[in-house]
Amino acid sequence: MFIKQIIIQGFKSYKEQTVIEPFSPKHNVIVGRNGSGKSNFFAAIRFVLSDAYTQMGREERQALLHEGTGSAVMSAFVEIIFDNSDDRFPTGKPELILRRTIGLKKDEYSLDRKNATKADVMNLLESAGFSRSNPYYIVPQGRVTALTNMKDTERLHLLKEVAGTQVYEARRTESLKIMTETNNKRAKIDELLDYIKERLAELEEEKEELRDYQDKEKERRCLQYTIDHREQVEIANALDTIDEQRQNGVDDTDDRRERFIQGEKELTDIEAEISELKQQVDFLKVDKRQLEDERRDNARARAKVELDVKGLSDGQSATQQAKVRYEQELDTVRDAIQQREDELQTINPEYTAMKGRESTVKSELDSAEAIRQRLYAKQGRNARFRNKRERDDWLRKEIDDSYPQLAKVKAVRMQTDEDIAELEKNIASTEQEIIDLRQQFDDRGNSSESMKEQVSAAKGKRDHLMDERKELWREDAKLGSVIANAQKELSRAEQVMSHTMDQNTSRGVAAVRRIKRQYNLDGVYGTLAELVEVDEKYRTAVEVAAGNSLFHYVVDNDETATKVLGILQKERAGRVTFMPLNRLKPKIGNIPKANDSIPMIEKLQFDPIYEKAFQQVFGKTVICPNLSTAAQYARSHGVNAITMDGDRSDKKGALTGGFHDPRQSRLEAVRNVTKWREEFEGQKNRSDEIKRILERKDQEVSMAVGELQKIEQKRQQQEASYGPLRQELQGKVSGLENMKDTLDAKLRAKLNIEANVKALTDQQNAHQAEMASEFKKALTNDEESQLENLNSTVQDLRRQYSDVSSSRSELEGRKSSLEMELRENLRPRMEQLESQALDDSENGSRGSLKDSQRELKRIGQAVEAVERKVRDAEEAIEHASAQITELEQRHAETRRQQEQIAKSIEHQQQKMEKSMRQKAVLTAQAAECSRKIRDLGVLPQEAFERFEKTKSNAIIKRLHKVNEALKKYSHVNKKAFEQYNNFTNQRDTLTKRRAELDSSQASIEELIQVLDQRKDEAIERTFKQVSREFADVFGKLVPAGRGRLVIQRKTDRQQQEEEDDSENEERRESVENYTGVGISVSFNSKHDDQQRIQQLSGGQKSLCALALVFAIQQCDPAPFYLFDEIDANLDAQYRTAVAQMLQSISSSSDNGQFICTTFRPEMLLVAQKCYGVKYEKKSSSVLVVSREEALKFVEEQKA
């Protein structure tokens, strides 16, 4: 049998269906790069054949499916086709097809295309020679390394696994357990049988005497019943009398107790009121101290401001005089400026009109001059030319020459137009900037006032925040006093509560509370007393019923309880009883349903989550109006009954009671502790909150102070910026005048340029007109006449231009003089005066008298307010002190009355205790009578009537005679008949059972002996086989060396080696004496001292491990073997030896098939078939390759 073919689809790196060509039944070698899918190929075979892939979760299943691009793989399968020509599989077919399919939700096996269970598959494989105890027919990567590093003890365990001893060990352990139980049962049966034999012999003699005794005993019981019944009636009458007396005393005591409780409440209220008043006085004193400190601070501030006011008042007159001088000079300058501006407004229209007229006259003059010059030129040219053609050529040349000049002049005109537009734009922008700057100067006072208001607002905000911070400081100081008082009261309340329980419980409860807070244990709920609310009238009854259970701690489960108990034990912090809710199973009692009994659980208020705990403690307790009713219900219903006063009767008949001091109430103590703890924690949280608010307020104050500093700095920067602003304004004005002068020059240049353009254009037109005219040597008559007119016109225009230009120059000079005076003198002087006046005004505003007076008024009002608060605080302190004195007097008087009531209650209580003792004695006697009657057993009917009329003395005498007669029967066994029958039945049953146990023990001992023998034989047989095969395999792998397995024993630990063929010891002792299996080898000689495996190199160790694997396989051969890179760590010579061994084993007909992977050439040289694994497009495939291709791939990998 061998693996014939493997088909893989969707498994790990094998996405597409991969059908591997049939394998050789001998030696097959697979090569491939790391990551190509070789190990996944071996994993696919192990997936089908081994137990390595069982009980997988969803993520593990997903990991087996191919992951890559494209459509998702939802299922995978691996199919192995076995050649079954030798019929190793009992199927009767030449082939066996085994497939395993896995998906996210399925895992199925099939045999020959039919569904099968995993158990069927494994049984079939074992029947074909696949041993579960020897998994070394598949050797994956790392298995050789694990064997190399294996210890001797682990190697012995491996040997036992190969021998299959686990089955023997499991069955032997189970058999020993059964035999021990059988021996124990037999011993008990023997003891019982011995006792039964003795008792049966005694009972035979006692049966006859018993019949005579029963007749006398019957008469004695009748007499005894009559005596006990009469005593019981007398005791009941006495008890009724005591109950009546007690009830009267109880009523009086209840009245006194009510008055006492009321007095205690009044005392508590008075003490609380006194404490509250004292705390209020402390608060007032703290307020007073803080107000006095504030008053001193305000007084110092007022003195400082008064000095500032005095200094400002002294300097006010000098400031007023300087201000008058500045204002007079400023008015003079403003008048001069206004006069010059009025004159300019008069001159400017005249200057503009004159300038326009001058431009018109100049244009007319230039035009006339140009026409005249052209006529003169024409007149001179006619004499130069001989004919029209010469003249026209010259004119054409002149026209052509004038075009570039005209274009150049036009370009200059265009550039001039752009310059003029740019200047006009800059002038308009500069004028707007000057207006803005002047506006800033005009708004300087308003800005200063606005900045002053901002400073004032910032100061107000700062002062307001500081006042709020002072209030928070006061509140924090008050809370400090409140917290100290609450902590003091809490300590006092905890001390009182600790006195209501023992010291260990007190320490334990406190420790549990601390542990809950420290470890944040939400499942620790609290004690019963903390979790319940009880009406005051039921408080005493609840406390008596619960007792120390009030301080049992309720937790959610036993895990939490165990954790807390462990911490308590570790810290030695007291003892506590826990009530885990998950473990509590309270039994519902037989609660009477009557008007005179109230289930106590109904009078308790608690969270339903804790119901189990309260049912456990109070579920079987009822509240009754009096003790007699309580005793009745306790007897009849088996419950604990209790009265409102705390008198108790339990189901066993015990009565407890007496006075309960309400001042020592446990529930009240717990409530006080809870109250003060909540008060302390609440005030502490409030204090922490105040501190956080104070921190934020400090930040707000710091921010307000910083804001004020920023505003002050901004004001200073604003004041410092007016000097540069003034300089900037002067520069802007000067620049504006320069730009206007430049604009005028540009406009004049533009007029000249336009005149040139006109002249050139007219000249071109004249030349063109002349070219169109006839050629003549002289001017025409019209031209002559025009020339004469032009001469006279030019003379007139020149005269007009001279007059207009002279008038324009005179106006321009006057205009320039006025503008210069305004620009250079008057306006700078006015700005200087205004700035100086504003600076004086601003300097005065910083320490203005009005602000100082306002501040002084504010401080004065603050001082008055503080004085008023101080007086109010002193009055409140005086009033509270008077109230405290009055309350202390009331407290003393109430305390005296309470002491008198307590004495009277104590006296009455002593009386009641005495009557209770009498009642207890009578009750005990009544119980004794009842017990005696019950002990009499079932009485005959004559017992109730036979001696009813007989006197008590006669009955006593007769009873004495009967007792004397019964003395001779004192040794008689009253239950001899019944005991004899019972013991006889038991003897027969036990004798039969012992015979069965004897038979069972014999069978078990025989089985154990057989198992031990088989296990020892298997271990020794396996060791001998593996040792023999190891020596043989090692000799083949290392011909020059020698190797063997060495058994390690307890008796000779000092020896390094020991032969395994000792025949002087018993087999059982030798196997149990084994402690390990060592490997001893020599690589150089068959006679030299051998080395242990720990002393070898890495390659030598790997070779030893492989030799052990081959030896195990030879002992328990499999149909085929899978080796994954077993030669990776071997030297070349050993790789060759391993390859030859594989070839030798596979060539023999009795051994199996080999499928190996390698990166070395030695194994390829002896392989019968080679395969290559490729990884392309994120999917692996397996193809048949030649030996040469495989060797070439290996050589490439080496390179």
Side-chain angles (χ1 to χ4, degrees), residues 458 461-470 472-473 693-709:
K461 181 179 179 182
R462 179 199 62 188
D463 295 340
H464 177 67
L465 290 173
M466 293 180 72
D467 291 339
E468 289 182 348
R469 184 170 63 177
K470 288 179 182 179
L472 289 172
W473 283 341
I693 296 174
L694 267 173
E695 290 177 0
R696 292 197 297 270
K697 195 61 68 178
D698 288 338
Q699 294 174 0
E700 292 178 3
V701 170
S702 299
M703 292 174 61
V705 171
E707 189 69 24
L708 177 60
Q709 292 175 351

Side-chain angles (χ1 to χ4, degrees), residues 1092-1110:
R1092 304 301 296 271
I1093 190 171
Q1094 293 83 355
Q1095 301 171 330
L1096 303 178
S1097 64
Q1100 292 173 338
K1101 289 181 179 180
S1102 298
L1103 184 65
C1104 292
L1106 280 175
L1108 181 60
V1109 171
F1110 287 136

Side-chain angles (χ1 to χ4, degrees), residues 802-832:
S802 177
D803 295 339
V804 172
S805 180
S806 176
S807 300
R808 191 264 308 162
S809 297
E810 182 179 355
L811 289 173
E812 186 176 3
R814 179 57 182 166
K815 175 175 173 290
S816 299
S817 176
L818 290 172
E819 289 177 347
M820 182 66 69
E821 184 179 5
L822 285 171
R823 184 170 64 249
E824 301 294 338
N825 185 16
L826 294 176
R827 282 178 179 161
R829 180 57 181 165
M830 182 183 71
E831 291 174 356
Q832 181 181 3

Side-chain angles (χ1 to χ4, degrees), residues 244-292:
E244 184 178 356
Q245 294 174 354
R246 182 179 180 279
Q247 188 60 42
N248 294 331
V250 166
D251 294 338
D252 294 339
T253 302
D254 288 344
D255 294 339
R256 294 190 184 96
R257 188 173 296 169
E258 287 294 331
R259 283 188 287 134
F260 183 82
I261 294 173
Q262 193 65 32
E264 287 296 320
K265 289 183 179 178
E266 186 176 353
L267 284 174
T268 303
D269 295 341
I270 293 172
E271 288 173 355
E273 192 171 354
I274 290 173
S275 177
E276 184 177 355
L277 287 171
K278 286 182 178 179
Q279 188 174 353
Q280 184 177 355
V281 169
D282 293 338
F283 292 162
L284 291 171
K285 288 180 179 178
V286 172
D287 284 344
K288 182 181 176 183
R289 286 196 299 271
Q290 293 178 349
L291 289 170
E292 288 175 348

